[in-house]
Amino acid sequence: MGRDALGEPFASGREADVYALDAGTVLRRYRGGGDASREAAVMAYAASLGYPVPRVYRADGPDLEMERLVGPTMAAAYLDGKLAPDAAAAIMADLLRRLHALPGRGGVGSVVHLDLHPDNILLTDRGPMVIDWCNAGDGDPDFDTALTALILAQVAIGSIGHEIGADAGAMLDRLMQLVPGDPLAQLDEVVAYRAGQWTMSADEVAALPIAAARVRRAGSDAADS
């Protein structure tokens, strides 16, 4: 189905646009092309083990057809005053914990999302649901948790522009108190991974050491509390 037939997207991210097909179905299309089947496979696997993820109906090239969820993003709920920083952190920590309890499909590590943050969590009448699985796969749970922490730190220090702004620091501090494992052990590797993502601007990459230091401070404070 061509772009003209789909109309205008109702949501867009750095890599993809989302179109409404009907009241219960959306189409997520990657602007750069590619193959969405890998993402669909991870989502289907997580769903089969009870993880809160949209149902996938079809994957074809850059297109992923899936269930349309109703509810605000966690970021939008926070900005509307309906969610406190501690509550947001608790939701993220719980979703990470539940995700990392799912064994990796190759028998090593766990399922990892690698982009779990407030804009990729929808608050629905079925509870929080995780979207945008394009980076997901099997890996180290601490790496995944550290990446969530680093993204929050980037927002907190202002290197990623977002309406949540410095309040992301309060979410980060509480998250580091709640998550299991040792995210700081993987932080250097996560910084290198983040620096290599094509969606990152040169200014964002340059500020990564400052964001990493913010994560380390949160982790140290959590260990002392």
Side-chain angles (χ1 to χ4, degrees), residues 143-164:
F143 187 100
D144 199 18
T145 302
L147 184 54
T148 292
L150 184 64
I151 293 169
L152 289 175
Q154 289 181 275
V155 174
I157 68 170
S159 68
I160 290 180
H162 196 286
E163 295 91 337
I164 291 178

Side-chain angles (χ1 to χ4, degrees), residues 29 32 38 100 162 165 199 203 211:
R29 174 170 289 171
R38 176 179 169 278
H100 298 156
H162 196 286
T199 55
D203 287 344

Side-chain angles (χ1 to χ4, degrees), residues 71-139:
T73 66
M74 195 167 78
Y78 177 79
L79 292 168
D80 285 343
K82 298 176 180 176
L83 197 66
D86 281 4
I91 291 170
M92 284 185 282
D94 181 62
L95 289 169
L96 286 166
R97 178 188 57 76
R98 291 166 63 190
L99 181 64
H100 298 156
L102 307 183
R105 290 164 297 163
V108 177
S110 73
V111 178
V112 292
H113 186 272
L114 301 182
D115 203 21
L116 199 151
H117 55 70
D119 278 325
N120 283 339
I121 299 168
L122 294 182
L123 304 182
T124 76
D125 58 3
R126 286 154 51 194
M129 304 284 285
V130 179
I131 60 172
D132 195 354
W133 290 73
C134 64
N135 296 331
D138 301 336

Side-chain angles (χ1 to χ4, degrees), residues 3-12 17-20:
R3 184 185 179 96
D4 291 342
L6 289 169
E8 292 298 315
F10 73 85
S12 295
D17 299 309
V18 183
Y19 302 87

